[in-house]
């Protein structure tokens, strides 16, 4: 946000426009990275497009990107970049994962997903170990840079108090039982994305019938984050990190389900059109004034 503000000011534009511009770009880039992740895992172009469109149709994602300065948008987009580049450039992937975690601590789940991607991309054990080492080294770079910056500004102690101790106290204060967490997630889901919620079971059936699997690293990331939600879930921004997983599940699963009765191309066209129609009509009353 600060970078966008500075850029806008240098161009003679109102700084707030720069803040919004950066986050709208991050929101769009998240969908593009989801598309590329699907393509790298052998998903056809049209089905990958459907997955990206379904992701953008998750109301929390688009609203947060439009509002701007939402750290969980930056966390997710940087994390998706980590998943995409880690197999071929593990150090760069680690750096993206580290940056995602600095935006918001649960972004660490993308480091886990990136590690899975690195592991599956290599057959020999020594190569795997070396690549994971480079991944961890890259992940440490953003943290070391931040620590040096904080130390030179005598800010290490306040950082530890506000980024570590505060969160431990906050989680302890707002801890929920597993049953309460499930109820809270259900309320958040039904308030926002009724269409996606209704279609997800059909997408799961499509995966089971077609024996398909979504991109492994993203699947691990999403599952790990769902686990973290049972430690602490508060409000709708906590669901932003689920958007890529939901989009991929709907795009691939629904295409696989329709593909049992239609040609794969026809199924992909129908699912993509449905995703674009859903995207063109935000269902949440939170979009006020209407977009």
């Amino acid at each position: 946000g600060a970078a966008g503000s500075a850029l806008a000011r240098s161009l003679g534009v109102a700084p707030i426009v720069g803040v919004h511009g950066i986050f709208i770009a991050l929101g769009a880039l998240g969908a593009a990275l989801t598309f590329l992740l699907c393509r790298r895992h052998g998903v056809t172009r049209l089905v990958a497009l459907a997955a990206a469109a379904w992701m953008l149709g998750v109301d929390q994602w688009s609203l947060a990107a439009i509002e701007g300065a939402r750290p969980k948008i930056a966390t997710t987009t940087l994390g998706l970049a980590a998943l995409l580049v880690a197999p071929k450039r593990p150090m760069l992937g680690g750096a993206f994962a580290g940056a995602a975690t600095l935006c918001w601590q649960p972004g660490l789940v993308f480091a886990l997903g990136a590690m899975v991607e690195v592991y599956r991309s290599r057959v020999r054990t020594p190569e795997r170990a070396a690549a994971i080492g480079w991944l961890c080294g890259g992940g440490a770079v953003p943290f070391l840079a931040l620590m040096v910056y904080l130390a030179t500004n005598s800010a290490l102690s306040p950082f530890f108090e506000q980024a570590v101790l505060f969160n431990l106290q906050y989680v302890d204060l707002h801890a929920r039982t597993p049953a309460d967490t499930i109820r809270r997630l259900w309320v958040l889901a039904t308030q926002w994305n009724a269409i996606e919620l209704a279609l997800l079971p059909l997408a799961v059936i499509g995966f089971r019938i077609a024996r398909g699997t979504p991109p492994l690293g993203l699947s691990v990331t999403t599952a790990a984050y769902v686990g973290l939600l049972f430690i602490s879930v508060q409000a709708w921004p906590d669901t932003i990190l689920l958007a890529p997983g939901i989009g991929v599940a709907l795009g691939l699963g629904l295409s696989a389900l329709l593909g049992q009765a239609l040609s794969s191309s026809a199924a992909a066209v129908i699912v993509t059109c449905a995703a674009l129609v859903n995207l063109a009509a935000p269902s949440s009353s939170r979009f006020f004034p209407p977009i």
Side-chain angles (χ1 to χ4, degrees), residues 45-202:
R45 186 175 287 106
L46 198 54
V47 174
L49 178 63
W54 279 114
M55 175 188 172
L56 286 175
V58 174
D59 291 342
Q60 294 97 316
W61 179 265
S62 292
L63 179 60
I66 290 164
E67 284 184 336
R70 286 281 184 184
K72 291 158 193 177
I73 291 290
T75 295
T76 308
T77 298
L78 289 167
L80 290 170
L83 297 179
L84 183 65
V85 306
K88 291 187 176 180
R89 295 182 172 85
M91 187 168 187
L92 181 59
F96 278 130
T101 307
L102 286 184
C103 292
W104 192 46
Q105 292 94 325
L108 191 62
V109 296
F110 287 102
L112 178 62
M115 193 171 295
V116 169
E117 289 286 354
V118 168
Y119 185 88
R120 67 179 290 276
S121 67
R122 287 160 173 80
V123 177
R124 299 175 61 184
T125 300
E127 292 177 353
R128 283 173 171 167
I132 290 174
W134 282 111
L135 181 78
C136 294
V141 170
F143 286 98
L144 292 175
L146 178 65
M147 292 302 106
V148 170
Y149 173 80
L150 293 172
T152 57
N153 287 276
S154 303
L156 272 176
S157 179
F159 175 81
F160 181 76
E161 292 172 359
Q162 296 172 32
V164 179
L165 295 182
F166 167 80
N167 282 292
L168 292 176
Q169 295 163 359
Y170 189 85
V171 169
D172 183 59
L173 182 65
H174 295 279
R176 301 174 186 269
T177 65
D180 285 340
T181 297
I182 291 171
R183 279 194 291 269
R184 183 61 180 159
L185 288 172
W186 175 256
V187 169
L188 290 173
T190 53
Q191 283 180 342
W192 285 88
N193 304 292
I195 295 174
E196 287 86 348
L197 192 66
L199 292 176
L200 267 176
L202 295 176

